[in-house]
Amino acid sequence: MDNQGQKSRSSFSGKIGFVLAAAGSAVGLGNIWRFPYLAAKYGGGTFLLVYIILAVTFGFALMITEIAIGRKTRLSAIGAYGALDKRWSFLGKLASAVPMIIFPYYCVIGGWVTKYLVVFATGNSAAAAGDTYFTDFIARPLEPLGWFFLFIAATVIIVLFGVEKGIEKSSKFLMPILAVLSVVIAIYTCCLPGALEGIKYYFVPDFSDFSPMVILAALGQLFYSLSLAMGIMITYGSYMKKEVDLEKSVHQIEIFDVGIALVAGLMIVPAVFVFSGGKGDAINAGAGLMFITLPKVFDSMPLSNLVGACFFLLVLFAALTSSISLMETVVSILQDKLKWNRKVTCIVVAVCALLIGVPSSLGHGLWSGFQPLGMSILDFFDFISNSVLMPIIALLTCIFVAFFIGMDQITDEVKVSSNFAGEKLYRLITKYLAPVCIFAILVSSILNSLKIIVI
Ligand code: PHE
C-alpha cells in the first residue's frame, strides 16, 4: 500500500500552494466564531496571552511533527502512525475519529452563518440586531435544521462533484478580502463610544481570571483552529514536496491563523462592552456570541445590510473551505479502510453527519432539556473533541515521537529542506514540556470539572 500511495499521491504545486491549502483548512469558523467567544468567556487578555504562548510553543511543535510525519510516510493519519511503529496504529484511528465528531456540528454552525447571510441580504439588519433574535432562532424546531441541511448539502455537492478546485481558487482571493473587511470592522468597533473598556479587557491580562480551564480551553482552541491533533496536517504533509521549507511554512500558517483570530476578537469582544456593558450573560454568551454581537455592530453602521451580507458571505466561504477539508478527510479515511467507491462513501458520510448533527441542532430548542455534563448537545460534542480527545492525541503524539520512534526521524525530515532554527526549542517542547504540561492540564481540569478540587 505504501508504494502505491507514494506513486499515486499528487503534490501541491509548491510552497505557496501548500501554505494556502493548509491555511484554507485552518482559517474558518474556529477563528471567527469560536476564538472570540472563548476569549470573552475566559478573561480576555488572560486567554489571549495563554493562547499566544501556546501557539508559538506547543502549536509550533505539533504542527512540525504532524507535517513531517505526513511528508515522511506519504500516508494519511490512519496509516502513518502504524507505518512508523505498528503498535501505535491505534493513535491514527483515534485521530481520525475527531473530524467525524466535528464535521456534523460544524455544519450546524455553518447553517447559522447561511441564515444570517440571507437575513442581511434581504435587508433585515434591524431585526437581526434585536436582543433575542438569535436565541429565538436557534430555539425553533425546524428552521435551524433547514439551514443545517442546506449547508451540509452544499459541502456534499462540492466534495461529490470534485469542484473543490474552483472553491479553493476563489477562496484565494476571498480570504484576503475577509481579512481586510475584518480589520475595517474591528477598527469601526474599537472607535465606538465605550469600546475602550472592552479593548482593555481584551488586551490586558488579569491574572485573577487564570485557571487550568483557561489553559485547557486555549489549548483545545489552538488545535482546533490550526486543524491539529486530528490527522489533517498529516494528510496535508503527505502531499508536500520535499523541497518546501517546512519550518517556514509552519510559521506562515501560524501567523495567518492567529492573526485572523486576533482581529476577529477585536471585532467582537469590545462590542460586547459597547452594547451590553460586558457583564455576566453578555460576556458568557458562548457559542452564540458572534451571532448576537456582530449584528448589533452592523446595524449601527451605515449601509448595514450590505456590510452584514458581505461579511457573512465571506465567513460562509471560510466555513465551506474548512467543512470541505473535514469531509474530505473523513471520506478518504473510509475509502482507504473499506475500499468503497467515492460516491457511496460521500453519501454514507453525509447521511451519518445529518443524523449526528440533528441533535446538535435541536439541542437549543426542542431538546434543550437534555444536557450531557450540563452543556447543550453541540457544546458537548465540541467539548469531547476539543477539550478531551485532541489534548490526549497531542500528548500521545509527543510521547510517540520522543520515546518510541525517536525525534531524529522528525528533525531529519524537517532538515531535508530547512535549516531548522527552532530545533532546540522543538526538542525541548516535544520531549519534556508538552507531555508534562498537557498531562497536568488534563488531570487538573478533569478534577476541576468534576468539582473534586476547585483551583
Ligand atoms: N481549523 C478550522 C477552523 O478554524 C476547523 C477545522 C477543524 C477544519 C478541523 C478542518 C479540520 O474553523
Side-chain angles (χ1 to χ4, degrees):
M1 189 187 142
D2 291 10
N3 280 338
Q4 200 190 355
Q6 275 183 9
K7 274 192 205 124
S8 56
R9 209 152 265 266
S10 53
S11 303
F12 290 116
S13 46
K15 183 171 163 36
I16 283 298
F18 173 79
V19 171
L20 281 177
S25 162
V27 175
L29 294 174
N31 309 62
I32 301 158
W33 154 74
R34 203 170 184 276
F35 180 86
Y37 91 70
L38 289 178
K41 181 168 167 191
Y42 289 106
T46 316
F47 183 83
L48 197 63
L49 184 68
V50 172
Y51 187 77
I52 291 176
I53 294 175
L54 291 176
V56 295
T57 52
F58 293 7
F60 164 75
L62 197 62
M63 191 176 270
I64 293 257
T65 303
E66 292 203 1
I67 297 178
I69 289 180
R71 194 169 72 171
K72 187 177 173 62
T73 58
R74 293 277 176 223
L75 291 169
S76 54
I78 200 145
Y81 288 98
L84 292 170
D85 184 334
K86 273 224 154 50
R87 292 166 295 175
W88 284 79
S89 49
F90 77 92
L91 189 53
K93 291 185 190 131
L94 193 63
S96 306
V98 176
M100 305 190 191
I101 300 177
I102 295 182
F103 180 54
Y105 85 77
Y106 201 87
C107 292
V108 173
I109 320 268
W112 298 351
V113 172
T114 319
K115 148 96 180 171
Y116 272 72
L117 164 61
V118 173
V119 168
F120 279 93
T122 49
N124 290 312
S125 134
D131 276 338
T132 57
Y133 189 82
F134 178 72
T135 38
D136 289 347
F137 159 61
I138 53 170
R140 275 178 220 139
L142 287 180
E143 197 192 338
L145 272 184
W147 296 109
F148 160 58
F149 286 3
L150 197 67
F151 185 87
I152 226 173
T155 308
V156 174
I157 288 170
I158 296 168
V159 173
L160 199 57
F161 292 101
V163 289
E164 292 109 300
K165 288 269 154 4
I167 296 285
E168 261 154 33
K169 272 210 189 102
S170 32
S171 82
K172 273 177 205 166
F173 69 85
L174 289 171
M175 285 295 153
I177 302 180
L178 174 64
V180 174
L181 185 64
S182 304
V183 171
V184 173
I185 297 171
I187 293 174
Y188 177 84
T189 302
C190 291
C191 293
L192 289 170
L196 195 64
E197 206 189 327
I199 301 173
K200 254 202 234 142
Y201 177 77
Y202 189 52
F203 281 118
V204 184
D206 171 356
F207 290 102
S208 62
D209 292 326
F210 191 78
S211 76
M213 275 319 265
V214 173
I215 315 182
L216 185 70
L219 195 68
Q221 168 61 18
L222 180 70
F223 296 153
Y224 183 89
S225 184
L226 290 172
S227 306
L228 291 176
M230 52 184 114
I232 290 186
M233 284 299 155
I234 298 187
T235 309
Y236 276 59
S238 72
Y239 299 124
M240 188 196 216
K241 286 193 177 161
K242 289 278 185 197
E243 57 270 23
V244 176
D245 186 331
L246 204 155
E247 188 185 23
K248 207 165 151 198
S249 306
V250 168
H251 285 313
Q252 286 171 337
I253 300 167
E254 281 210 317
I255 291 172
F256 202 65
D257 191 72
V258 174
I260 300 239
L262 288 187
V263 174
L266 212 46
M267 206 163 57
I268 294 176
V269 178
V272 182
F273 284 75
V274 172
F275 293 105
S276 329
K279 302 219 170 51
D281 280 359
I283 205 86
N284 284 317
L289 190 63
M290 170 173 121
F291 300 94
I292 295 170
T293 308
L294 272 183
K296 293 185 200 284
V297 175
F298 296 146
D299 195 48
S300 76
M301 284 176 133
L303 297 177
S304 55
N305 285 305
L306 184 68
V307 179
C310 287
F311 177 79
F312 281 106
L313 181 67
L314 294 166
V315 173
L316 184 63
F317 254 90
L320 269 175
T321 53
S322 295
S323 73
I324 292 165
S325 108
L326 276 167
M327 180 163 173
E328 262 306 339
T329 315
V330 178
V331 168
S332 63
I333 289 166
L334 291 182
Q335 259 189 308
D336 278 1
K337 277 283 130 182
L338 306 172
K339 310 270 176 277
W340 289 347
N341 86 29
R342 192 176 159 83
K343 259 206 182 113
V344 174
T345 321
C346 281
I347 290 167
V348 171
V349 170
V351 172
C352 293
L354 274 179
L355 295 178
I356 302 171
V358 167
S360 291
S361 181
L362 293 179
H364 298 275
L366 218 53
W367 292 1
S368 59
F370 180 56
Q371 298 245 327
L373 295 182
M375 318 173 186
S376 74
I377 302 173
L378 192 152
D379 286 347
F380 175 73
F381 280 121
D382 188 79
F383 173 79
I384 292 294
S385 54
N386 295 298
S387 300
V388 181
L389 284 177
M390 276 145 73
I392 291 176
I393 292 164
L395 173 67
L396 291 176
T397 304
C398 292
I399 295 174
F400 167 70
V401 169
F403 303 102
F404 285 83
I405 61 166
M407 284 204 283
D408 292 346
Q409 295 241 30
I410 304 294
T411 54
D412 288 350
E413 180 62 40
V414 179
K415 282 193 260 178
V416 168
S417 57
S418 140
N419 45 25
F420 205 3
E423 181 175 354
K424 281 217 176 84
L425 179 72
Y426 171 79
R427 286 179 181 269
L428 177 74
I429 294 168
T430 309
K431 190 156 185 181
Y432 303 105
L433 281 181
V436 174
C437 296
I438 299 179
F439 184 73
I441 296 163
L442 265 173
V443 172
S444 60
S445 36
I446 289 172
L447 296 179
N448 205 5
S449 54
L450 297 177
K451 309 262 182 305
I452 296 177
I453 46 167
V454 180
I455 304 173

